Structures are given as structure tokens and as C-alpha cells.
């Protein structure tokens, strides 16, 4: 197995991550200690790979084939376990994309230093969403549709333009991608890392 995502923890946050990745037809391996949660996942997502293991243990990550995985999501029930998991995962696969949840935002810097590429705080994001729904409800509704459209016709996504590709080095106008493919380009990142992007227009 390779180029798969390892989801560590199948609580409420983990379930939503699994649901979205399953919808996107990504290969997923779930590490979860509780049998009831695994049974629920297997009922909801037939064919999903679940291992009833402790994700903080090195042997569990090796069984999930972390060396060939594309990414790992650390959504265990407490920040200390997530921190230990991130350290272990980064040691086992230096090239792995690691995303961790942080209940307490004060631990964010520790998670980054431990090897997480991204840290997400549900409390922080939830607060921002509530404020935005109050202030700009139509914009939030529009973005929700773009991110969650089930038909696949109107969905925000991202692609990596490889060196030597037809699109390599072309401007938005020169690519004419909207005419040929029907895709609207909102913005692009000059580098693979998430950072400052250039918007269209």
C-alpha cells in the first residue's frame, strides 16, 4: 500500500475527515482503539481499512505502512497524545504530510516544532465560522457549496503543475484553461508550500 492517508482517531473530527476523504476516493487507513467506533466506520464506509490499534505506538504506525503513506491526520482525544504521535510519525517518515488537531492553541508551536506541517484548532475555526455567518452569511454559504458539492461540478480543488507540463510557465490568459477544460482558476502558489499566493484577477 502506498500514497494513502492514515487517520489516527475516529471521534467526531476524525469521522468528518474520513467522510470527506472517502468521498474524494482517497485510500484511507484508520487507527482507532475503540471497537464501537470501528464498527460504525465499517457500517458507514464499506471496504474501509480499520486497525484497532493505539496510534501512539510505533508498531501501529508501521502496520499502517507509514513509510509509504501520503499523509497522516492526528485527531486523538488529547493534545499530548497528538504531540507524541506527530513526533513518532515524523521520525518514521520525514517526507510525510502531517496535520494535527490542537484543542489548546498554546500547543500549536510545539506541534509544528515536533514535525506537523499544519495545525488546526476546531475551537478557533468554529469561532471564526460563527462570526462570519453572522457578518457575511451568503459568502459562507457560497464557499460551503464550492467545498461540499456532491455532484463534483462546482467544487474547489487544487492541482500541481509539473515541470514540462503544457501549463508550465504560462499565464492565466495563455493557458486558456477555462475554454478548453471549463475550469476557473482562483489563484496559484508559485511554490508547492502553502504561503503567499497570486489571485486571479
Amino acid at each position: 500500500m502506498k500514497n494513502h492517508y492514515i487517520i489516527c482517531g475516529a471521534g467526531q473530527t476524525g469521522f468528518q475527515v474520513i467522510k470527506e476523504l472517502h468521498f474524494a476516493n482517497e485510500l484511507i487507513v484508520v487507527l482507532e482503539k475503540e471497537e464501537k467506533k470501528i464498527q460504525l466506520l465499517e457500517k458507514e464506509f464499506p471496504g474501509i481499512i480499520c486497525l484497532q490499534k493505539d496510534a501512539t505506538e510505533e508498531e501501529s504506525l508501521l502496520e499502517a505502512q507509514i513509510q509509504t503513506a501520503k499523509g497522516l491526520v492526528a485527531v486523538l482525544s488529547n493534545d499530548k497524545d497528538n504531540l507524541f504521535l506527530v513526533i513518532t510519525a515524523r521520525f518514521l517518515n520525514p517526507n510525510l504530510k502531517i496535520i494535527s488537531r490542537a484543542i489548546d492553541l498554546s500547543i500549536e508551536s510545539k506541534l509544528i516544532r515536533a514535525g506537523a506541517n499544519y495545525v488546526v484548532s476546531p475551537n478557533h475555526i468554529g469561532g471564526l465560522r460563527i462570526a462570519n455567518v453572522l457578518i457575511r452569511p451568503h459568502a459562507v454559504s457560497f464557499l460551503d457549496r464550492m467545498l461540499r458539492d456532491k455532484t463534483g461540478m462546482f467544487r474547489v480543488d487544487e492541482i500541481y503543475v509539473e515541470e514540462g507540463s503544457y501549463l508550465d510557465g504560462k499565464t492565466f490568459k495563455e493557458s486558456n484553461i477555462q475554454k478548453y477544460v471549463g475550469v476557473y482558476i482562483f489563484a496559484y502558489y508559485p511554490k508547492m508550500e502553502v504561503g503567499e499566493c497570486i489571485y486571479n484577477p
Side-chain angles (χ1 to χ4, degrees):
M1 189 186 309
K2 62 181 180 178
N3 293 328
H4 57 290
Y5 291 101
I6 301 172
I7 313 303
C8 301
Q12 292 181 345
T13 303
F15 185 89
Q16 292 303 319
V17 173
I18 293 163
K19 184 177 181 180
E20 183 63 22
L21 290 176
H22 187 266
F23 176 76
N25 294 315
E26 297 287 353
L27 186 57
I28 312 162
V29 176
V30 179
L31 292 176
E32 171 56 54
K33 290 193 293 185
E34 293 186 30
E35 187 177 355
K36 287 183 179 180
K37 291 179 181 178
I38 290 177
Q39 290 173 349
L40 177 63
L41 288 175
E42 290 175 340
K43 181 180 179 181
E44 188 76 20
F45 311 109
I48 192 171
I49 302 171
C50 295
L51 302 175
Q52 191 176 351
K53 299 282 184 178
D54 183 348
T56 62
E57 294 181 357
E58 187 174 319
E59 294 79 10
S60 302
L61 296 171
L62 291 172
E63 189 172 339
Q65 300 184 28
I66 191 172
Q67 299 100 323
T68 54
K70 187 190 297 186
L72 178 141
V73 178
V75 283
L76 300 177
S77 58
N78 68 73
D79 289 339
K80 288 182 181 179
D81 284 345
N82 284 324
L83 180 60
F84 186 77
L85 169 57
V86 168
I87 293 170
T88 308
R90 180 55 68 210
F91 171 75
L92 293 173
N93 187 340
N95 300 314
L96 190 68
K97 181 186 289 185
I98 301 175
I99 302 174
S100 178
R101 178 178 66 178
I103 299 168
D104 184 353
L105 267 180
S106 66
I107 202 173
E108 180 178 4
S109 61
K110 292 180 181 178
L111 285 163
I112 295 294
R113 290 199 303 272
N117 300 97
Y118 308 99
V119 177
V120 177
S121 170
N123 293 335
H124 178 68
I125 291 174
L128 289 177
R129 180 177 175 82
I130 289 169
N132 278 304
V133 170
L134 286 171
I135 298 167
R136 47 186 76 88
H138 297 297
V140 172
S141 177
F142 170 77
L143 290 172
D144 276 350
R145 285 198 301 272
M146 293 297 101
L147 290 170
R148 300 175 181 175
D149 175 57
K150 299 299 183 185
T151 67
M153 294 177 61
F154 304 103
R155 196 168 177 90
V156 175
D157 209 336
E158 60 181 64
I159 60 165
Y160 172 64
V161 178
E162 296 183 358
E163 189 175 349
S165 162
Y166 161 74
L167 296 172
D168 185 21
K170 284 188 168 58
T171 64
F172 289 133
K173 184 176 182 181
E174 290 169 343
S175 72
N176 220 358
I177 195 169
Q178 184 178 335
K179 176 181 176 182
Y180 292 118
V181 187
V183 172
Y184 295 89
I185 301 175
F186 293 140
Y188 85 97
Y189 291 96
K191 298 180 180 179
M192 281 186 67
E193 296 81 10
V194 174
E196 187 174 347
C197 66
I198 298 171
Y199 294 96
N200 177 33

